[in-house]
Amino acid sequence: MTESVHHRLQMREMVGPLRVNVDVAFGARWTLIFGPSGSGKSSLLRAMCGLLGESVAFSRRELDSSWLALDAMPISQRGLSYAPQSPWLFPHLNIEENVAFASRSRGGSHDRSLVERALDTFYLSGYEARMPTELSGGERQRVSLARAFAVPDAELLLLDEPFSGVDRPLRDALLPRMQAWLAERGLPVVSVSHDVDEALLLRAEVLRLESGRVLAQGYAAEVLAEERARMVWALG
C-alpha cells in the first residue's frame, strides 16, 4: 500500500440498541478494529460495504489527493472484497469454484494463477474438488478467506474475525503468508478482532472501539499496552 492511499469513514447510526458514532481515517497496510463484543466492530465493516443506512459516508483518497465518495457508488463498483465472520460458501460449487467465484461472476474464465495462489496461501491445495459439506468449520473459514483474497480488482480487503474457527498454530502460520501476498499486491486490509495476541502479531494500526465510539487509534503495542501487560502477567 502506498502512502497516498487512505480511506475515511464517517458514521452516525443506530445499530439495534447501539449508537455508532465514528469519524476516522486510516492509511496503514493493516488496520485492526479492536473491541469487546457489541462495541460496533462488525457494523463498521458492514457500513463500508454499503450494508447499513444512509448516514454513512465512506471515501477513498485518490492519487491526485481528491476524495472519491465510495458510498455514492453501487456496492459492486467500490473495489471491496469482504469475508464475513461466518463463512458462507456456495453449497453447489466445489472449493476451487467457490474461490474463483468473484472473477467468474465478472464474466469469462477465472484467473487460474490467482486462484491457485489463494488456495496455496491458505493451505488448500488438494482441496479443489471437495464440496463444502466435506470440510470442517476451520477449513470453510480458510476457503472464505481464500475467496476474498482472490478477488482480482479489489482495492480494499475487509475481514470480519478472519481466524474464528482456526487454531492458533495455523493462524500464526497463515499471517506471514497473507501479509507477504498483500504486500506484493499493495492491498490494504481492515479487519475485526478482539484478540490482543492477533493484533500484536500483525503489528497493525489499531482502532479501539467501545460502545460505538473510538477510544484510541495507533500502533498495537501502544493502544493495547494494558491488555498486553495483563496477558504477560497471566502467562507468568
Side-chain angles (χ1 to χ4, degrees), residues 80-103:
L80 305 176
S81 181
Y82 174 54
Q85 184 173 350
S86 299
W88 190 90
L89 306 181
F90 297 102
H92 62 293
L93 301 180
N94 65 28
I95 300 314
E96 180 177 350
E97 292 167 337
N98 264 282
V99 173
F101 179 79
S103 54

Side-chain angles (χ1 to χ4, degrees), residues 11-231:
M11 179 179 174
R12 289 163 181 79
E13 181 90 2
M14 286 296 299
V15 183
L18 178 69
R19 179 178 292 279
V20 179
N21 187 349
V22 299
D23 184 348
V24 293
F26 44 92
R29 288 184 181 274
W30 197 305
T31 300
L32 188 141
I33 303 173
F34 179 91
S37 298
S39 59
K41 304 186 301 296
S42 295
S43 295
L44 293 191
L45 287 196
R46 290 197 295 270
M48 295 179 203
C49 290
L51 302 178
L52 294 182
E54 297 180 355
S55 57
V56 175
F58 183 43
S59 56
R60 180 177 64 238
R61 196 176 77 183
E62 301 293 274
L63 292 176
D64 62 0
S65 296
S66 64
W67 286 88
L68 177 65
L70 299 181
D71 55 285
M73 304 170 64
I75 295 173
S76 61
Q77 297 177 16
R78 296 187 183 192
L80 305 176
S81 181
Y82 174 54
Q85 184 173 350
S86 299
W88 190 90
L89 306 181
F90 297 102
H92 62 293
L93 301 180
N94 65 28
I95 300 314
E96 180 177 350
E97 292 167 337
N98 264 282
V99 173
F101 179 79
S103 54
R104 283 185 181 276
S105 66
R106 287 161 170 76
S109 61
H110 64 273
D111 184 336
R112 180 77 183 183
S113 62
L114 187 64
V115 172
E116 288 178 351
R117 177 71 182 272
L119 290 167
D120 177 68
T121 296
F122 291 96
Y123 297 110
L124 292 168
S125 297
Y127 286 64
E128 291 88 345
R130 294 191 190 184
M131 302 302 289
T133 54
E134 301 177 67
L135 304 184
S136 68
E139 289 167 341
R140 288 195 294 272
Q141 184 74 16
R142 284 187 279 140
V143 174
S144 178
L145 289 170
R147 181 172 58 191
F149 270 65
V151 174
D153 54 356
E155 296 185 64
L156 178 64
L157 185 57
L158 305 174
L159 308 177
D160 193 351
E161 297 280 4
F163 302 109
S164 59
V166 177
D167 60 51
R168 285 179 180 266
L170 181 54
R171 179 205 66 181
D172 294 352
L174 285 172
L175 280 175
R177 296 164 70 91
M178 294 165 66
Q179 289 176 305
W181 191 17
L182 292 167
E184 288 177 25
R185 297 175 65 186
L187 183 61
V189 180
V190 177
S191 68
V192 160
S193 180
H194 56 266
D195 188 328
V196 177
D197 185 37
E198 182 180 322
L200 294 171
L201 283 172
L202 284 168
R203 298 181 179 178
E205 177 182 63
V206 172
L207 185 70
R208 182 169 182 170
L209 287 187
E210 188 170 310
S211 301
R213 294 181 178 274
V214 177
L215 294 185
Q217 182 175 3
Y219 292 115
E222 298 172 359
V223 174
L224 302 178
E226 292 183 9
E227 285 77 5
R228 179 181 183 278
R230 281 197 292 269
M231 184 173 65

